[in-house]
Amino acid sequence: MALKTRSQGTGSSDPYDSKFLKGVAISVWQNSCDDQLSNWSRYAYSRWPFTHFGLVGTTKGKYKIGNSCNFWERYREDIQLAHDVGSNTFRFSFEWGRIEPTHGVIDPAAIKRYHEMLDAMEELGIEPNATLHHFTHPIWFEDKGGFEKEENIEFFVEYSRIIFREFGKRIKLWATFNEPTCYTFLAYIGAMAPPGYIGNMITAGRVLHHMLKAHTAAYHAMKAMEGGSGAQIGLVHHHITFKSRGDNILNYPVKWVCGWMEYWWGWDVVDHWMLTGEFVWKVPVVGTWIKEKDPDGKPPCDWWGINYYSRVVLNWLFQTTGFQGEVMTDMYYPIYPEGMYNAIKRSSKYGIPMYITETGIADSKDDRRSVMIESYYKAVLQALADGYDVRGFYYWTLVDNFEWAVGYTMRFGLYRWEADGSADRVLREGSKALVKLFKTLPDNLEKLKAVAIQSSKKGWSDLGLSGYA
Ligand code: BGC
């Protein structure tokens, strides 16, 4: 049974202690795209996969990248849609490129726009949950070397101060980074994000180390500001594992690759850092490349963000698959609710509140969405019933959007949207499973726990959560 064992945070005066937050998560870049100001805008307009295949949705392809579903302009409507599905919270990102398009120059229009978004949330009683860095940053920062250079951490810290000075009074829940390990893998090892390196394990480790240091530095900088002690500052991590489907000699190569893939996606690395303050990065053949312990010990962190989708299973031909009976999503992984429970259990060791900051399914046919929603929600309720300190659940995502390296091909949205204009924010049938859970289960954390304990003893069918897992 997991109880709070210790806290790496500063504790809280906490309006959230009694509330279970339920809502949706977006990233402003994925839902607005074409700002011409960020690393991703430049990359999407310059790299061959984006400019030559309609498949990924592009300038020369079938669809232009354009403004995605245009949250930047249509935020009011979208926040209303989030409210309509029963959200009492909304996770979004600050776009550093829009805020500080040139180093040292803040765009007042972008600041105003974020205030307007927060007004819309406030009017509907929606708690904001803000991420400072969701894979994107300004072109000028990228050109200075981004997080490859330790001295650039200060630029991120300064940007965090600017945002906190402006919005600190309006937002309690903050995350410094979204999935630093996913960012470093895609950008430096997998060549699927800017700056687009392949197999650069050494730089990947350095970048990850600097991002984690930047988390600590931004945390302290924000806490030291007026209103800082009331802020809850966390980190959002991607919890993924890789498995070989078979175990015989034919599977040895795939097992080796899975071992390294899991390592590079960084769960073990980040886990060790959270528990000890020591960052260790290993590279195949070479061995340990970086080993550095923060003299201050464990990193500061008020809450833990769990982004969980699934695990990757590979057969001996390196094809993505599931284990027997598992249903695949449109992405390269199956529906795997047990992994949600495992992620919560493992993360509970940090002794701080946990939020499911992202979970969802790409399902263009909409014939698996309700199964995913119900089985993953059930896993979260089971964890609550077992005493784990989970405080919220964010579904990824509200409206179909730009799914990074695969463009507009993946339909994660509760609401259907098509880049060619054939659909605009139509609630999917499968999404109604989430609406039902959001609207019928109690908002109050203690009451929700009581329901979860009762259902875990009596069976889940009263909540309509039978079947699958
Ligand atoms: C990222 C999102 C992404 C989602 C679905 C997460 O890893 O934070 O930006 O769209 O996964 O793949």
Side-chain angles (χ1 to χ4, degrees):
M1 190 140 307
L3 296 166
K4 282 190 210 179
T5 46
R6 64 182 171 78
S7 177
Q8 280 164 263
T10 53
S12 68
S13 54
D14 194 348
Y16 308 101
D17 270 349
S18 57
K19 202 174 182 185
F20 187 78
L21 295 183
K22 46 198 180 184
V24 291
I26 68 156
S27 93
V28 169
W29 193 86
Q30 285 174 275
N31 289 43
S32 316
C33 284
D34 193 6
D35 55 27
Q36 304 289 334
L37 301 166
S38 72
N39 56 339
W40 251 99
S41 298
R42 180 169 68 179
Y43 183 77
Y45 272 97
S46 64
R47 290 293 164 124
W48 63 267
F50 293 94
T51 50
H52 289 83
F53 293 134
L55 172 73
V56 288
T58 65
T59 48
K60 292 184 192 151
K62 195 167 163 202
Y63 310 125
K64 288 189 190 310
I65 294 167
N67 298 113
S68 184
C69 51
N70 202 5
F71 179 77
W72 193 251
E73 303 289 335
R74 297 177 64 180
Y75 60 93
R76 193 163 271 284
E77 205 179 322
D78 283 354
I79 291 165
Q80 179 65 53
L81 291 180
H83 182 259
D84 292 349
V85 297
S87 305
N88 61 18
T89 184
F90 189 78
R91 178 170 176 245
F92 67 101
S93 56
F94 278 99
E95 269 304 306
W96 185 1
R98 288 189 191 257
I99 304 267
E100 192 178 4
T102 309
H103 184 209
V105 181
I106 305 304
D107 180 358
I111 299 278
K112 183 166 173 274
R113 176 51 44 92
Y114 275 105
H115 275 299
E116 288 162 348
M117 290 173 194
L118 290 165
D119 291 343
M121 290 178 221
E122 235 167 74
E123 281 162 30
L124 294 167
I126 289 181
E127 293 290 348
N129 181 337
T131 300
L132 289 168
H133 186 280
H134 193 126
F135 299 170
T136 58
H137 47 239
I139 288 171
W140 63 261
F141 179 75
E142 182 98 331
D143 288 345
K144 282 182 190 290
F147 289 104
E148 289 173 32
K149 295 195 178 146
E150 185 155 9
E151 61 267 31
N152 290 351
I153 291 175
E154 188 45 38
F155 297 123
F156 176 76
V157 175
E158 192 44 37
Y159 151 70
S160 309
R161 282 197 197 98
I162 291 165
I163 298 290
F164 196 77
R165 194 170 300 127
E166 194 58 54
F167 301 101
K169 287 199 184 69
R170 306 193 69 177
I171 301 172
K172 274 265 188 297
L173 276 177
W174 296 87
T176 49
F177 287 98
N178 178 70
E179 304 181 350
T181 57
C182 185
Y183 169 81
T184 44
F185 180 84
L186 297 177
Y188 290 91
I189 300 177
M192 283 180 274
Y197 291 105
I198 189 149
N200 192 343
M201 279 65 130
I202 288 177
T203 312
R206 195 167 74 237
V207 169
L208 180 57
H209 191 200
H210 293 159
M211 289 176 93
L212 297 178
K213 283 184 170 191
H215 159 82
T216 301
Y219 178 101
H220 288 308
M222 289 157 76
K223 285 280 175 175
M225 293 174 73
E226 198 190 329
S229 59
Q232 293 294 295
I233 306 172
L235 182 65
V236 172
H237 176 60
H238 191 89
H239 301 70
I240 193 167
T241 51
F242 290 77
K243 293 274 169 281
S244 158
R245 184 171 162 146
D247 210 18
N248 63 34
I249 196 162
L250 281 177
N251 297 101
Y252 283 8
V254 105
K255 278 176 111 171
W256 187 85
V257 169
C258 282
W260 276 109
M261 285 296 281
E262 189 159 316
Y263 185 80
W264 292 321
W265 281 82
W267 197 352
D268 288 347
V269 177
V270 168
D271 189 56
H272 181 71
W273 173 76
M274 275 298 285
L275 292 168
T276 64
E278 183 180 59
F279 181 83
V280 181
W281 185 253
K282 292 182 191 145
V283 175
V285 186
V286 180
T288 300
W289 186 259
I290 305 173
K291 189 172 179 161
E292 191 182 303
K293 189 160 177 149
D294 188 331
D296 293 334
K298 292 169 198 162
C301 200
D302 296 334
W303 58 272
W304 191 244
I306 296 179
N307 285 3
Y308 171 77
Y309 289 84
S310 184
R311 64 176 170 189
V312 176
V313 181
L314 296 176
N315 68 17
W316 69 282
L317 292 169
F318 288 88
Q319 290 159 325
T320 53
T321 168
F323 282 98
Q324 195 109 44
E326 283 176 359
V327 177
M328 290 302 280
T329 68
D330 293 351
M331 293 286 275
Y332 45 85
Y333 44 69
I335 295 177
Y336 180 56
E338 292 90 328
M340 171 66 89
Y341 189 90
N342 296 340
I344 295 169
K345 187 174 173 187
R346 188 169 178 192
S347 306
S348 71
K349 283 182 297 180
Y350 314 142
I352 50 181
M354 294 171 277
Y355 293 88
I356 310 306
T357 33
E358 277 182 39
T359 189
I361 182 169
D363 175 16
S364 58
K365 294 195 188 122
D366 195 35
D367 55 2
R368 290 145 289 167
R369 184 165 278 99
S370 64
V371 171
M372 176 265 147
I373 289 170
E374 288 178 1
S375 56
Y376 283 42
Y377 219 91
K378 188 169 121 189
V380 173
L381 291 176
Q382 182 64 60
L384 259 182
D386 291 347
Y388 294 103
D389 190 6
V390 186
R391 306 271 182 101
F393 183 102
Y394 294 80
Y395 180 85
W396 182 273
T397 188
L398 181 66
V399 180
D400 292 334
N401 61 6
F402 190 87
E403 176 55 24
W404 307 115
V406 289
Y408 293 119
T409 59
M410 290 293 152
R411 306 319 201 248
F412 279 93
L414 292 176
Y415 290 88
R416 181 168 169 234
W417 171 85
E418 296 290 341
D420 64 4
S422 59
D424 187 17
R425 294 162 167 80
V426 182
L427 186 68
R428 291 191 159 98
E429 260 324 290
S431 310
K432 293 181 182 164
L434 188 74
V435 181
K436 184 171 165 224
L437 289 166
F438 277 5
K439 291 197 173 175
T440 55
L441 290 175
D443 267 10
N444 178 278
L445 187 56
E446 291 312 314
K447 285 189 186 152
L448 183 64
K449 256 187 222 168
V451 169
I453 291 169
Q454 201 188 26
S455 301
S456 76
K457 285 187 194 142
K458 273 181 45 195
W460 298 92
S461 51
D462 284 359
L463 302 183
L465 296 179
S466 48
Y468 209 86

Short mmCIF file of all heavy atoms in Angstrom, two decimals, residues 27 30 91 134-135 178-179 182 238 307 309 331 333 358 396 401-404 412, ligand 1:
data_model
loop_
_atom_site.label_atom_id
_atom_site.label_comp_id
_atom_site.label_asym_id
_atom_site.label_seq_id
_atom_site.Cartn_x
_atom_site.Cartn_y
_atom_site.Cartn_z
N SER A 27 -1.42 20.73 -25.97
CA SER A 27 -0.26 21.62 -25.98
C SER A 27 -0.60 22.70 -27.00
O SER A 27 -1.16 22.41 -28.06
CB SER A 27 1.03 20.88 -26.33
OG SER A 27 1.29 20.94 -27.72
N GLN A 30 0.77 22.20 -30.60
CA GLN A 30 0.10 21.16 -31.41
C GLN A 30 -1.29 21.58 -31.87
O GLN A 30 -1.78 21.11 -32.89
CB GLN A 30 -0.01 19.86 -30.60
CG GLN A 30 1.29 19.10 -30.49
CD GLN A 30 1.14 17.91 -29.56
OE1 GLN A 30 1.27 18.04 -28.35
NE2 GLN A 30 0.85 16.75 -30.12
N ARG A 91 -5.28 21.33 -18.86
CA ARG A 91 -3.81 21.37 -18.94
C ARG A 91 -3.40 21.93 -20.30
O ARG A 91 -3.87 21.46 -21.34
CB ARG A 91 -3.23 19.98 -18.74
CG ARG A 91 -1.72 19.96 -18.86
CD ARG A 91 -1.07 18.65 -18.42
NE ARG A 91 0.35 18.78 -18.70
CZ ARG A 91 1.03 18.06 -19.58
NH1 ARG A 91 0.44 17.09 -20.26
NH2 ARG A 91 2.31 18.29 -19.79
N HIS A 134 6.68 22.36 -23.56
CA HIS A 134 6.11 21.12 -24.09
C HIS A 134 6.75 20.89 -25.47
O HIS A 134 6.14 21.14 -26.51
CB HIS A 134 4.59 21.24 -24.19
CG HIS A 134 3.89 19.93 -24.44
ND1 HIS A 134 2.87 19.46 -23.65
CD2 HIS A 134 4.07 18.97 -25.38
CE1 HIS A 134 2.44 18.29 -24.11
NE2 HIS A 134 3.15 17.96 -25.17
N PHE A 135 7.99 20.47 -25.46
CA PHE A 135 8.79 20.14 -26.66
C PHE A 135 9.20 21.35 -27.51
O PHE A 135 9.97 21.19 -28.45
CB PHE A 135 8.06 19.16 -27.59
CG PHE A 135 7.74 17.82 -26.99
CD1 PHE A 135 6.90 16.94 -27.66
CD2 PHE A 135 8.26 17.41 -25.78
CE1 PHE A 135 6.58 15.68 -27.14
CE2 PHE A 135 7.96 16.16 -25.24
CZ PHE A 135 7.11 15.30 -25.93
N ASN A 178 7.34 19.10 -19.99
CA ASN A 178 6.61 17.93 -20.42
C ASN A 178 7.61 16.92 -20.96
O ASN A 178 8.36 17.22 -21.91
CB ASN A 178 5.61 18.28 -21.53
CG ASN A 178 4.86 17.05 -22.03
OD1 ASN A 178 4.02 16.51 -21.31
ND2 ASN A 178 5.17 16.58 -23.23
N GLU A 179 7.70 15.77 -20.34
CA GLU A 179 8.45 14.62 -20.86
C GLU A 179 9.85 14.94 -21.38
O GLU A 179 10.12 14.77 -22.57
CB GLU A 179 7.65 13.97 -22.00
CG GLU A 179 6.26 13.55 -21.64
CD GLU A 179 5.54 12.89 -22.81
OE1 GLU A 179 6.06 12.92 -23.94
OE2 GLU A 179 4.46 12.33 -22.59
N CYS A 182 11.27 12.04 -23.45
CA CYS A 182 10.68 11.84 -24.77
C CYS A 182 11.27 12.89 -25.73
O CYS A 182 11.65 12.58 -26.87
CB CYS A 182 9.16 12.02 -24.64
SG CYS A 182 8.25 11.70 -26.10
N HIS A 238 7.12 10.81 -19.14
CA HIS A 238 6.50 9.80 -20.00
C HIS A 238 6.86 8.41 -19.49
O HIS A 238 8.03 8.06 -19.43
CB HIS A 238 7.02 9.98 -21.42
CG HIS A 238 6.27 9.18 -22.44
ND1 HIS A 238 5.16 9.65 -23.07
CD2 HIS A 238 6.47 7.94 -22.93
CE1 HIS A 238 4.70 8.73 -23.92
NE2 HIS A 238 5.48 7.69 -23.85
N ASN A 307 2.38 10.79 -17.59
CA ASN A 307 1.85 10.61 -18.94
C ASN A 307 2.00 9.14 -19.25
O ASN A 307 3.11 8.60 -19.27
CB ASN A 307 2.64 11.43 -19.97
CG ASN A 307 2.31 12.91 -19.89
OD1 ASN A 307 1.55 13.34 -19.04
ND2 ASN A 307 2.89 13.69 -20.79
N TYR A 309 0.51 6.01 -21.82
CA TYR A 309 -0.31 5.54 -22.93
C TYR A 309 -0.31 4.02 -23.02
O TYR A 309 -1.34 3.39 -23.12
CB TYR A 309 0.18 6.14 -24.26
CG TYR A 309 -0.12 7.61 -24.35
CD1 TYR A 309 0.74 8.57 -23.77
CD2 TYR A 309 -1.28 8.07 -24.95
CE1 TYR A 309 0.44 9.92 -23.82
CE2 TYR A 309 -1.59 9.42 -25.00
CZ TYR A 309 -0.73 10.34 -24.44
OH TYR A 309 -1.03 11.68 -24.47
N MET A 331 -1.68 3.93 -32.91
CA MET A 331 -0.24 4.14 -32.71
C MET A 331 0.42 2.76 -32.67
O MET A 331 -0.22 1.75 -32.92
CB MET A 331 0.02 4.93 -31.41
CG MET A 331 -0.48 6.36 -31.43
SD MET A 331 0.53 7.49 -32.44
CE MET A 331 1.82 7.97 -31.30
N TYR A 333 1.29 0.86 -30.38
CA TYR A 333 1.17 0.14 -29.11
C TYR A 333 -0.28 -0.26 -28.86
O TYR A 333 -1.22 0.32 -29.42
CB TYR A 333 1.71 0.99 -27.96
CG TYR A 333 1.30 2.45 -27.97
CD1 TYR A 333 -0.02 2.83 -27.73
CD2 TYR A 333 2.23 3.47 -28.21
CE1 TYR A 333 -0.40 4.15 -27.72
CE2 TYR A 333 1.86 4.81 -28.21
CZ TYR A 333 0.54 5.14 -27.97
OH TYR A 333 0.16 6.47 -27.96
N GLU A 358 -1.55 12.97 -18.75
CA GLU A 358 -1.94 12.60 -20.11
C GLU A 358 -2.21 11.12 -20.18
O GLU A 358 -1.41 10.31 -19.72
CB GLU A 358 -0.82 12.87 -21.13
CG GLU A 358 -0.71 14.26 -21.63
CD GLU A 358 0.41 14.41 -22.66
OE1 GLU A 358 0.62 13.50 -23.50
OE2 GLU A 358 1.08 15.45 -22.61
N TRP A 396 -5.83 12.97 -23.01
CA TRP A 396 -5.18 13.55 -24.19
C TRP A 396 -5.94 13.07 -25.40
O TRP A 396 -5.89 11.88 -25.68
CB TRP A 396 -3.70 13.13 -24.28
CG TRP A 396 -3.04 13.78 -25.45
CD1 TRP A 396 -3.00 13.33 -26.74
CD2 TRP A 396 -2.34 15.03 -25.44
NE1 TRP A 396 -2.33 14.21 -27.54
CE2 TRP A 396 -1.90 15.27 -26.76
CE3 TRP A 396 -2.03 15.98 -24.46
CZ2 TRP A 396 -1.18 16.41 -27.12
CZ3 TRP A 396 -1.31 17.10 -24.82
CH2 TRP A 396 -0.88 17.30 -26.13
N ASN A 401 -5.40 16.93 -33.29
CA ASN A 401 -4.40 17.98 -33.49
C ASN A 401 -3.18 17.43 -34.21
O ASN A 401 -3.20 16.30 -34.73
CB ASN A 401 -4.02 18.62 -32.15
CG ASN A 401 -3.40 17.61 -31.19
OD1 ASN A 401 -3.16 16.46 -31.55
ND2 ASN A 401 -3.17 18.03 -29.97
N PHE A 402 -2.11 18.20 -34.25
CA PHE A 402 -0.88 17.85 -34.96
C PHE A 402 -0.04 16.95 -34.06
O PHE A 402 0.49 17.39 -33.04
CB PHE A 402 -0.12 19.13 -35.30
CG PHE A 402 1.04 18.92 -36.25
CD1 PHE A 402 0.84 18.96 -37.63
CD2 PHE A 402 2.33 18.70 -35.78
CE1 PHE A 402 1.90 18.78 -38.51
CE2 PHE A 402 3.39 18.52 -36.65
CZ PHE A 402 3.17 18.56 -38.02
N GLU A 403 0.06 15.66 -34.46
CA GLU A 403 0.77 14.69 -33.63
C GLU A 403 2.25 14.61 -34.06
O GLU A 403 2.70 13.64 -34.65
CB GLU A 403 0.04 13.34 -33.72
CG GLU A 403 0.68 12.17 -33.00
CD GLU A 403 0.96 12.38 -31.51
OE1 GLU A 403 0.32 13.22 -30.87
OE2 GLU A 403 1.87 11.70 -31.01
N TRP A 404 2.97 15.68 -33.83
CA TRP A 404 4.41 15.75 -34.06
C TRP A 404 4.82 15.09 -35.37
O TRP A 404 4.27 15.43 -36.42
CB TRP A 404 5.16 15.17 -32.85
CG TRP A 404 4.74 15.82 -31.55
CD1 TRP A 404 4.11 15.22 -30.50
CD2 TRP A 404 4.89 17.21 -31.16
NE1 TRP A 404 3.87 16.13 -29.50
CE2 TRP A 404 4.34 17.34 -29.86
CE3 TRP A 404 5.45 18.34 -31.76
CZ2 TRP A 404 4.33 18.56 -29.17
CZ3 TRP A 404 5.43 19.54 -31.07
CH2 TRP A 404 4.89 19.64 -29.80
N PHE A 412 -6.46 11.56 -31.68
CA PHE A 412 -6.56 11.41 -30.22
C PHE A 412 -7.76 12.16 -29.63
O PHE A 412 -8.06 12.02 -28.45
CB PHE A 412 -5.29 11.96 -29.55
CG PHE A 412 -4.10 11.03 -29.57
CD1 PHE A 412 -3.15 11.09 -30.58
CD2 PHE A 412 -3.92 10.09 -28.57
CE1 PHE A 412 -2.05 10.25 -30.59
CE2 PHE A 412 -2.82 9.24 -28.56
CZ PHE A 412 -1.88 9.32 -29.58
C1 BGC B 1 3.04 14.08 -25.66
C2 BGC B 1 1.99 14.72 -26.55
C3 BGC B 1 1.61 13.74 -27.65
C4 BGC B 1 1.00 12.52 -26.99
C5 BGC B 1 0.41 11.48 -27.93
C6 BGC B 1 2.75 12.64 -25.33
O1 BGC B 1 3.92 11.92 -25.24
O2 BGC B 1 3.20 14.85 -24.50
O3 BGC B 1 2.49 15.92 -27.03
O4 BGC B 1 0.78 14.29 -28.61
O5 BGC B 1 2.01 11.90 -26.24
O6 BGC B 1 1.38 10.79 -28.63
#
